[in-house]
Amino acid sequence: QVQVLQGPIQYQAQVLQGVQHQVQVLQGVQHQVQVLQGVQQQVQVLQGVQHQVQVRQGAQHQVQVLQGAQHQVHVLQGVQHQVQVLQGVQQQVQVLQGVQHQGQVPQGAQHQVH
């Protein structure tokens, strides 16, 4: 009877070893899942970093726009200075026209004397 039982017991032992092997395979799969979850977490971190980079690039673009606006302000200040210079020149022209007018008055008086 012992020899008769050895066959089924040995068969069951092989079946259990096969089940144990499948358990080990599943544990390997579970480990790969955990690795992939870690990779997915790293991807999310990198996406956050990429978002921060885009935010910083947006801020840098705003700085460049403000620098351009500041440059335009300088240009306008230069134009305003030129306008003031031209106003000064115009005032000098008016003064010179007044002097020329005063010079013509004596000539008219001299003409009347003749």
Side-chain angles (χ1 to χ4, degrees):
Q1 290 181 349
V2 173
Q3 290 178 351
V4 172
L5 289 174
Q6 281 181 349
I9 289 173
Q10 190 176 4
Y11 176 73
Q12 286 182 351
Q14 290 175 351
V15 171
L16 288 175
Q17 285 177 349
V19 171
Q20 188 178 6
H21 178 69
Q22 287 181 349
V23 169
Q24 291 174 349
V25 170
L26 289 174
Q27 287 176 343
V29 171
Q30 187 178 6
H31 178 69
Q32 288 181 350
V33 168
Q34 291 174 347
V35 170
L36 289 174
Q37 286 175 343
V39 170
Q40 187 178 8
Q41 190 175 2
Q42 289 180 349
V43 168
Q44 290 174 348
V45 171
L46 289 174
Q47 286 176 344
V49 171
Q50 187 178 9
H51 178 68
Q52 289 181 350
V53 168
Q54 290 174 348
V55 170
R56 288 183 183 177
Q57 287 176 344
Q60 187 177 6
H61 178 69
Q62 288 181 348
V63 168
Q64 291 174 348
V65 170
L66 289 174
Q67 287 176 343
Q70 188 176 6
H71 178 69
Q72 287 181 349
V73 168
H74 288 324
V75 170
L76 289 174
Q77 286 176 344
V79 171
Q80 187 177 8
H81 177 69
Q82 288 180 349
V83 168
Q84 291 174 347
V85 169
L86 289 175
Q87 286 176 343
V89 171
Q90 187 178 8
Q91 191 174 2
Q92 289 179 350
V93 167
Q94 289 174 348
V95 170
L96 290 174
Q97 286 176 344
V99 170
Q100 186 178 10
H101 178 69
Q102 288 179 352
Q104 289 175 352
V105 170
Q107 287 178 354
Q110 189 177 7
H111 179 68
Q112 287 180 352
V113 170
H114 288 290

